Amino acid sequence: MENPFQFGRELGTAELVDRADEVEEVMRTVRQGGKLFVIGPRRYGKTSILKTAEDRLLAEGAVVLRYNAESFPTLDLLVARIVADAAKHLKGNVERAGEQVRKLFTRLRPEVSFNVTDLEWTAKLGAAEAETEDHHVALLVEALDGVERLAQAQPKNRAVGLIIDEFQKIAEIGGQAAEAQLRAAIQQHKRTGYVFAGSKTRLLTAMTLDAARPFYRLGSLRFIGSVPRADFLAFLRAKFSESRFKLAEKEDPLTLILTLAEEVPYNVQLLAHACWEQLRGGTTTNERVLTEAVVRQALERVVRQYDPFYTQLWNGLTAIQQKTLTAVIAADGVNLQSMKMVKAVGKGISTVKRALDALLERDILREEESLGSVRLRFEDPFFGHWIRMFTSRT
């Protein structure tokens, strides 16, 4: 049997748990030439949502250009990739497509070529200006203008979309000046649907909700949260049942999986995967029953498996940051400015705040805002379990 619980890659349409509304909103944005910001922590399935939407749009005949900004060291490389991918959607032979690309992206003066072995287009930019951040952003703006011209050349019933994941990377490179230039271009585009996604929730929230920022009210917002518990429980139950594994009576191992993984989709899949593998190795009927003990054993195996990474991460923290993390665990991420928290760390409030800011900056912790309150949570819940299991908390 193949393990039905997958993690560590983009999940396909049949593998997503729930997320139907999120996928549909991405698709609707592209079809209507709208603008959408998708904001959600890492490990919550954001990238899989974008991939599923892309796959379905492509099946409808749409043109979809999707990228992860963090995969490109410079904006120039991202721009070159956009130009090369645009060539894929142009009609005619290689020479004809090359001519069309040069017309669509005139200011970039691109030179495109087609590799017949790899069946892939590549592009080299001919634009030569001063090597400044403004220059790189200007190239990206021209690339977006070119995509809009590509969209305008398509039949009216053929949607064109540009999806950029980890979009905050672009803003970090160019600053608010880049935001202003990009908004000025994008707000004039009528045929291209834009979906900008990112995991830096604090940064992206400020970009889109701060009235002083250029992207304020540029498009719709979709915040990605946990999968509804009932849906995740139904998914887990169905997959274990299809594998002919039974659930222990008078116990609730599925809820325990969600609790230990803090309902973070990636971690839920990872822990369920480990449980499934443990049950597959059973040789008797009793050994093929999912119990709470099996779940806890699987969690310890997973945490031990990642011990070298967690050890390196832990040892890279200052003593104050380590104490702050253990205090966050003890306080369950709330009331972190209290005297109890300060006493646990053994330092003043300002020192604790600096430690928390550093942990947020390093993506070890993240803020979760809900119903008017803020709670700090681990980006990787299993790192919190590792701290509980293998470090001194004196």
Side-chain angles (χ1 to χ4, degrees), residues 173-220:
I173 293 174
Q176 291 195 33
E179 295 176 35
Q181 292 180 60
L182 291 172
R183 181 190 175 105
I186 292 169
Q187 66 183 0
Q188 298 181 45
H189 297 168
K190 306 299 183 183
R191 286 281 280 115
T192 305
Y194 289 96
V195 179
F196 299 129
S199 58
K200 297 277 189 178
T201 53
R202 283 204 300 175
L203 175 59
L204 283 166
T205 298
M207 285 173 57
T208 54
L209 295 181
D210 184 345
R213 301 287 288 268
F215 281 139
Y216 177 65
R217 290 188 176 178
L218 177 62
S220 302

Side-chain angles (χ1 to χ4, degrees), residues 202 321 324-325 328 336-337 341 351-361 365 376:
R202 283 204 300 175
Q321 291 167 355
T324 301
L325 274 184
V328 168
L336 300 181
Q337 303 294 329
M341 177 75 174
T351 301
V352 172
K353 186 178 184 305
R354 284 196 297 272
L356 290 173
D357 287 342
L359 294 167
L360 288 165
E361 182 65 25
L365 296 177
L376 287 188

Side-chain angles (χ1 to χ4, degrees), residues 28-225:
R28 184 168 59 250
T29 299
V30 172
R31 293 192 195 108
Q32 297 176 355
K35 286 84 177 171
L36 172 67
F37 291 87
V38 179
I39 303 173
R42 296 184 189 274
R43 301 167 175 263
Y44 271 61
K46 171 174 48 60
T47 301
S48 294
I49 291 169
L50 301 179
K51 180 183 186 303
T52 297
E54 176 191 23
D55 290 345
R56 293 181 181 177
L57 286 165
L58 291 175
E60 296 177 359
V63 174
V64 182
L65 307 176
R66 182 169 69 94
Y67 308 97
N68 184 322
E70 291 185 342
S71 299
F72 299 89
T74 67
L75 290 182
D76 297 42
L77 291 174
L78 173 59
V79 170
R81 188 69 258 163
I82 292 173
V83 173
D85 288 346
K88 298 178 183 178
H89 302 283
L90 298 173
K91 296 181 179 179
N93 57 28
V94 172
E95 183 177 350
R96 172 61 177 160
E99 292 175 359
Q100 293 180 73
V101 165
R102 285 188 284 275
K103 290 180 180 179
L104 292 173
F105 302 95
T106 306
R107 291 180 57 192
L108 296 178
R109 300 199 297 276
E111 292 297 329
V112 294
S113 58
F114 183 73
N115 187 312
V116 294
T117 302
D118 298 332
L119 300 179
E120 186 176 72
W121 285 91
T122 57
K124 181 179 180 181
L125 306 182
E129 299 179 23
E131 288 294 318
T132 64
E133 289 181 354
D134 286 346
H135 161 61
H136 299 309
V137 174
L139 294 182
L140 179 58
V141 168
E142 174 57 24
L144 300 186
D145 287 340
V147 172
E148 173 66 6
R149 288 189 284 270
L150 169 66
Q152 292 173 354
Q154 306 303 310
K156 289 186 177 180
N157 62 349
R158 191 183 192 193
V160 175
L162 179 66
I163 300 174
I164 300 181
D165 199 359
E166 301 303 348
F167 177 71
Q168 72 276 347
K169 179 70 174 180
I170 294 173
E172 289 172 348
I173 293 174
Q176 291 195 33
E179 295 176 35
Q181 292 180 60
L182 291 172
R183 181 190 175 105
I186 292 169
Q187 66 183 0
Q188 298 181 45
H189 297 168
K190 306 299 183 183
R191 286 281 280 115
T192 305
Y194 289 96
V195 179
F196 299 129
S199 58
K200 297 277 189 178
T201 53
R202 283 204 300 175
L203 175 59
L204 283 166
T205 298
M207 285 173 57
T208 54
L209 295 181
D210 184 345
R213 301 287 288 268
F215 281 139
Y216 177 65
R217 290 188 176 178
L218 177 62
S220 302
L221 295 177
R222 166 66 76 163
F223 290 92
I224 305 299

Side-chain angles (χ1 to χ4, degrees), residues 302-317:
V302 169
V303 171
R304 287 185 181 277
Q305 178 184 346
Y306 288 93
D307 174 71
F309 168 73
Y310 292 147
T311 298
Q312 183 180 42
L313 184 59
W314 178 257
N315 289 336
L317 301 175

